[in-house]
């Protein structure tokens, strides 16, 4: 039996992410001393919220060619076979498989597909709340985060550093700051 929970302002329905108020970002260690941050400029996501929030679902995808780390040469390299192989695998996709509450926090389990490899991941999901905008649209805000090991998805490019360590860290933090609109 699935537990039922109550979330103030929650409404069942279909929600579409507002790209003007959403960011799909990531960060990874560089040279073992700093973090490089990037984002995907083109993406889409749909949430179907059920009467019971724990029976809701999400599907999302980001266009790999839209990667932006504020360094055009690096972005071009990320699109090659050394990394995402954008021409062959144009999208990173996520499909939820379940939602649960663990120690009072929401967890969204699902399958993440990168470069043709699908693996389970869990996003920590934090509701920011619900609000009507000045145009009569009902909005939801949230932050979703997870950490993955990039090599698990075939992203193995790296280089040893003369002083020890490697050029690119293994762990990638994915952070999604989202605003979604309830569809009429």
């Amino acid at each position: 039996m699935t537990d039922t929970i109550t979330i103030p302002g929650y409404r069942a329905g279909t929600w579409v992410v507002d790209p003007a108020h959403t960011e799909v970002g990531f960060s990874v260690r560089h040279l073992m001393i700093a973090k490089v941050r990037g984002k995907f400029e083109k993406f889409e996501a749909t949430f179907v919220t059920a009467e019971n929030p724990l029976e809701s679902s999400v599907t999302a995808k980001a266009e790999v060619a839209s990667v932006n780390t504020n360094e055009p040469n690096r972005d071009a390299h990320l699109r090659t076979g050394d990394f995402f192989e954008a021409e062959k695998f144009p999208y990173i996709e996520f499909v939820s498989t379940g939602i649960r509450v663990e120690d009072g926090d929401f967890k969204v389990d699902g399958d993440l597909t990168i470069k043709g490899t699908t693996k389970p991941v869990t996003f920590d999901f934090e509701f920011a709340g619900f609000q009507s905008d000045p145009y009569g649209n009902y909005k939801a805000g949230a932050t979703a985060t997870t950490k993955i090991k990039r090599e698990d998805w075939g992203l193995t490019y790296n280089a040893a550093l003369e002083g020890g360590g490697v050029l690119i860290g293994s762990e990638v933090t994915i952070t999604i700051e989202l605003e979604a609109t309830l569809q009429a």
Side-chain angles (χ1 to χ4, degrees):
M1 177 177 158
T2 303
D3 292 331
T4 301
I5 58 168
T6 302
I7 302 169
Y10 178 88
R11 294 183 188 172
T14 299
W15 303 73
V16 175
V17 166
D18 176 355
H21 297 101
T22 299
E23 182 172 282
V24 177
F26 61 90
S27 63
V28 64
R29 193 68 62 194
H30 181 251
L31 293 174
M32 308 298 293
I33 59 171
K35 285 188 178 179
V36 168
R37 298 182 189 285
K39 61 185 175 180
F40 293 94
E41 302 284 352
K42 295 180 182 177
F43 52 85
E44 58 187 60
T46 301
F47 298 82
V48 178
T49 53
E51 290 298 326
N52 176 357
L54 299 178
E55 295 172 2
S56 300
S57 64
V58 61
T59 58
K61 68 180 181 178
E63 186 178 309
V64 172
S66 75
V67 68
N68 180 353
T69 64
N70 292 319
E71 192 348 90
N73 291 328
R74 178 174 47 226
D75 297 344
H77 190 200
L78 287 171
R79 293 179 190 108
T80 71
D82 283 347
F83 290 97
F84 291 116
E85 203 169 349
E87 285 189 24
K88 185 174 180 184
F89 304 104
Y91 297 101
I92 294 172
E93 298 178 282
F94 176 79
V95 177
S96 66
T97 56
I99 298 173
R100 58 193 163 88
V101 176
E102 185 178 289
D103 297 326
D105 297 322
F106 284 96
K107 307 287 184 182
V108 178
D109 299 315
D111 293 324
L112 180 65
T113 303
I114 302 173
K115 201 173 178 180
T117 298
T118 302
K119 300 244 181 221
V121 298
T122 298
F123 278 90
D124 295 324
F125 194 82
E126 179 184 342
F127 279 110
F130 300 90
Q131 186 67 262
S132 292
D133 72 11
Y135 310 103
N137 298 304
Y138 198 62
K139 303 277 192 159
T143 300
T145 57
T146 193
K147 292 182 180 182
I148 65 169
K149 301 286 185 205
R150 63 188 182 87
E151 295 87 356
D152 291 346
W153 279 267
L155 303 171
T156 58
Y157 178 86
N158 222 334
L161 298 175
E162 188 175 307
V166 291
L167 179 65
I168 305 165
S170 177
E171 185 175 84
V172 178
T173 301
I174 300 170
T175 303
I176 304 165
E177 297 289 346
L178 70 92
E179 185 174 302
T181 306
L182 180 62
Q183 302 302 290

